[in-house]
Amino acid sequence: MAIASLTEKTDGITGKLKAPALMISAAPKTRIQKRNTANILEAALEVFSAVGYNGATVDGIAQAAKMSKPNLLYYFSSKEAIHVTLLEQLLDMWLDPLRALDADGVPKDEILAYVQRKLEMSRDMPRESRLFANEVLRGAPHLSADTKNALKALVDQKAAVIQGWVDAGQIAPVHPYHLIFSIWAQTQHYADFDVQVRAVLPEAEARDPFPTAARHLQQMFERMLAI
Amino acid sequence: MAIASLTEKTDGITGKLKAPALMISAAPKTRIQKRNTANILEAALEVFSAVGYNGATVDGIAQAAKMSKPNLLYYFSSKEAIHVTLLEQLLDMWLDPLRALDADGVPKDEILAYVQRKLEMSRDMPRESRLFANEVLRGAPHLSADTKNALKALVDQKAAVIQGWVDAGQIAPVHPYHLIFSIWAQTQHYADFDVQVRAVLPEAEARDPFPTAARHLQQMFERMLAI
DNA sequence: CGCGTCTTTGACCAAGCGGTCAATTGGGAC
DNA sequence: GTCCCAATTGACCGCTTGGTCAAAGACGCG
């Protein structure tokens, strides 16, 4: 598992800095810049995931990052720039579990492990899940074509792996793309619709739906894939 | 199936009318009131589902309903009132497929039929799905306690039915609540994350993901429930 | 026709928004 | 220390927003 805290991951920042009438396109260098951009992105994740892009205010993010609004805008040229940076930066991490799906592993184990990793992400990183859910719900207006292509390429590759397992008779016949959608939908459901899940579940389970969810999903995909 | 067009369903409107310094709490009576409230709610569904609550503007909804903003506010006292009315009014329709789950039917058939009905709703009423997704994502701030209780009561009842089928050995052992979540998550995924589904799927299927999705989900739950 | 009520709207307002700017403060290299 | 650039901020601006209001228009009924 070993999911790193967000604030630790400050590499790969693509946010554009702005000196008065000057844009620095390279990655930030100074220690203070790293700290502040990380703080801003952490605060933005908190706010965006809670109230969505339109519901968030620059001032609100600035307060959550414990700095003034103009200071925040010294590091990111606009609210949109923060959002875009956040999305691009987190998508990589978000796809790690799928990337780890190993074509040379035991098919059923690989898929079940993927389900469990994805469910753990819903449990440990619900804000990221809601951020993406919000973005995709609105038609992904802030995701670049490059990012979408990279996502598609990864899914294509892993779908081919799954299809290979089907063809080799190692798992029951499944539509590989829809299988991946099933995994995404069911695992992310526990992050995105958390309040609904807890509102509906009997009290004892509502306190922590994840243990029973994990067992349910394992059961589900085991039966789905059994030869 | 026979899903009625939204504009036809004008009964049960609970929106408060406002004459100058006067609130009419009863349902609207005149023909013109019915027409206008229906137009407003249809326009609001279009706008809210596309850009979310915070992204929507009263003026935008008014324009979509082909009327002026003050006129719209003559029928609904606030933007929030429109949203609340819309949610409460649509939730009933939204839960119809689950309500139709028949304790006296053939268990596997009942559940598979529920899955198909729910998937049809995602195909035919994606705006409603996104409206609810948006609301729940934000923590359901506009859903009354009554509504949440009614939802829970319905799910409790149907979960008991499913549990009964399990106990009678008519379907394989499953966690009834998580089974319902699995159905919700996977069917609504095709409405809420439509752009992602189409972006990832091979072109031929992306044009209409629903036929293959229907087969996939039938397969999935068949294997899940088989004794 | 006249008349009261329902409906519609242009003009307006206060608040909040994203973003700018000039001016101030702080930090590090020498 | 000092000097320069990075970092920070209070004040401000133009615009959009949700909502109000007074007045005008349309409708129905005698």
Side-chain angles (χ1 to χ4, degrees):
Chain A
M1 190 162 37
I3 295 166
S5 154
L6 176 66
T7 47
E8 244 87 66
K9 300 194 79 177
T10 55
D11 51 315
I13 290 174
T14 59
K16 294 170 182 65
L17 283 185
K18 184 196 62 172
L22 168 68
M23 291 283 189
I24 303 171
S25 55
K29 292 160 195 147
T30 77
R31 174 175 38 92
I32 196 167
Q33 281 176 355
K34 282 190 176 178
R35 192 198 59 199
N36 278 346
T37 49
N39 283 350
I40 292 169
L41 290 173
E42 157 66 22
L45 173 61
E46 185 70 26
V47 175
F48 281 137
S49 67
V51 295
Y53 180 77
N54 286 306
T57 69
V58 175
D59 205 59
I61 298 171
Q63 276 184 255
K66 297 192 177 80
M67 60 174 68
S68 66
K69 182 172 66 163
N71 198 18
L72 182 149
L73 289 167
Y74 172 71
Y75 290 97
F76 290 89
S77 58
S78 69
K79 174 179 164 181
E80 191 182 354
I82 308 175
H83 198 237
V84 170
T85 302
L86 200 52
L87 286 170
E88 305 275 344
Q89 187 172 326
L90 291 178
L91 190 65
D92 255 19
M93 182 194 319
W94 199 243
L95 291 177
D96 276 345
L98 180 55
R99 244 181 239 110
L101 192 83
D102 183 3
D104 299 326
V106 178
K108 200 191 72 176
D109 293 350
E110 285 295 321
I111 292 172
L112 289 182
Y114 175 45
V115 171
Q116 294 304 316
R117 281 195 302 269
K118 204 77 177 56
L119 186 62
E120 281 162 8
M121 290 195 84
S122 279
R123 185 193 58 196
D124 299 333
M125 309 174 73
R127 299 179 305 173
E128 286 81 349
S129 187
R130 292 194 194 104
L131 185 81
F132 288 123
N134 255 305
E135 174 68 7
V136 176
L137 249 181
R138 271 159 198 61
H142 288 155
L143 281 184
S144 69
D146 279 0
T147 304
K148 289 177 195 163
N149 288 339
L151 170 66
K152 175 165 172 51
L154 177 62
V155 175
D156 282 344
Q157 181 203 327
K158 298 304 183 182
V161 168
I162 294 170
Q163 187 62 54
W165 290 338
V166 169
D167 293 341
Q170 298 182 281
I171 53 175
V174 284
H175 190 302
Y177 288 91
H178 286 294
L179 176 66
I180 291 172
F181 293 153
S182 287
I183 295 170
W184 287 354
Q186 292 183 85
T187 55
Q188 291 175 10
H189 188 82
Y190 291 97
D192 301 343
F193 298 89
D194 178 70
V195 297
Q196 193 185 59
V197 166
R198 291 180 199 267
V200 163
L201 232 33
E203 196 194 337
E205 285 184 57
R207 270 191 287 272
D208 181 9
F210 285 95
T212 48
R215 277 193 289 275
H216 167 75
L217 292 183
Q218 170 157 356
Q219 205 175 58
M220 181 126 196
F221 287 99
E222 242 170 16
R223 294 177 188 172
M224 174 75 183
L225 300 172
I227 295 288
Chain B
M1 192 160 36
I3 294 167
S5 153
L6 177 67
T7 49
E8 243 88 65
K9 302 193 77 175
T10 55
D11 52 314
I13 290 176
T14 60
K16 296 169 181 63
L17 284 184
K18 184 195 63 169
L22 169 67
M23 293 283 191
I24 304 172
S25 55
K29 294 162 194 145
T30 79
R31 173 175 38 91
I32 197 167
Q33 281 177 355
K34 280 191 176 180
R35 192 199 59 199
N36 279 346
T37 50
N39 283 349
I40 291 169
L41 289 173
E42 157 66 23
L45 173 61
E46 184 71 26
V47 174
F48 281 138
S49 67
V51 296
Y53 180 78
N54 287 305
T57 68
V58 175
D59 205 60
I61 297 171
Q63 277 184 254
K66 298 191 176 78
M67 60 175 68
S68 67
K69 182 173 67 164
N71 197 18
L72 182 149
L73 288 168
Y74 171 72
Y75 290 97
F76 289 89
S77 59
S78 69
K79 174 179 164 181
E80 190 182 355
I82 307 174
H83 198 237
V84 170
T85 302
L86 199 52
L87 285 170
E88 304 275 345
Q89 187 171 327
L90 291 179
L91 189 66
D92 255 19
M93 182 193 321
W94 199 243
L95 292 177
D96 276 346
L98 180 55
R99 244 180 240 110
L101 192 84
D102 183 2
D104 299 327
V106 178
K108 200 190 72 175
D109 294 349
E110 285 296 321
I111 292 173
L112 289 182
Y114 175 45
V115 171
Q116 294 303 317
R117 281 194 302 269
K118 205 76 176 57
L119 186 62
E120 281 162 9
M121 291 196 83
S122 279
R123 184 192 60 198
D124 300 333
M125 309 174 72
R127 298 178 305 175
E128 286 81 348
S129 187
R130 292 196 196 102
L131 185 80
F132 288 123
N134 254 307
E135 175 68 7
V136 176
L137 249 181
R138 273 161 195 59
H142 289 155
L143 281 184
S144 69
D146 279 359
T147 304
K148 288 177 196 165
N149 288 340
L151 169 66
K152 176 165 172 52
L154 177 63
V155 175
D156 282 343
Q157 181 202 328
K158 298 304 183 180
V161 169
I162 294 170
Q163 186 63 52
W165 290 339
V166 169
D167 293 341
Q170 299 181 280
I171 53 175
V174 285
H175 189 302
Y177 289 91
H178 286 294
L179 176 67
I180 290 172
F181 294 153
S182 287
I183 295 171
W184 288 354
Q186 292 183 85
T187 55
Q188 292 175 9
H189 188 81
Y190 290 98
D192 302 343
F193 298 89
D194 177 70
V195 298
Q196 191 184 59
V197 166
R198 292 180 198 269
V200 163
L201 233 33
E203 197 195 336
E205 284 183 56
R207 271 190 288 272
D208 182 9
F210 286 94
T212 48
R215 279 193 289 277
H216 168 76
L217 291 183
Q218 170 157 358
Q219 205 177 59
M220 181 125 194
F221 287 99
E222 242 170 16
R223 294 177 188 172
M224 175 74 183
L225 299 173
I227 295 286

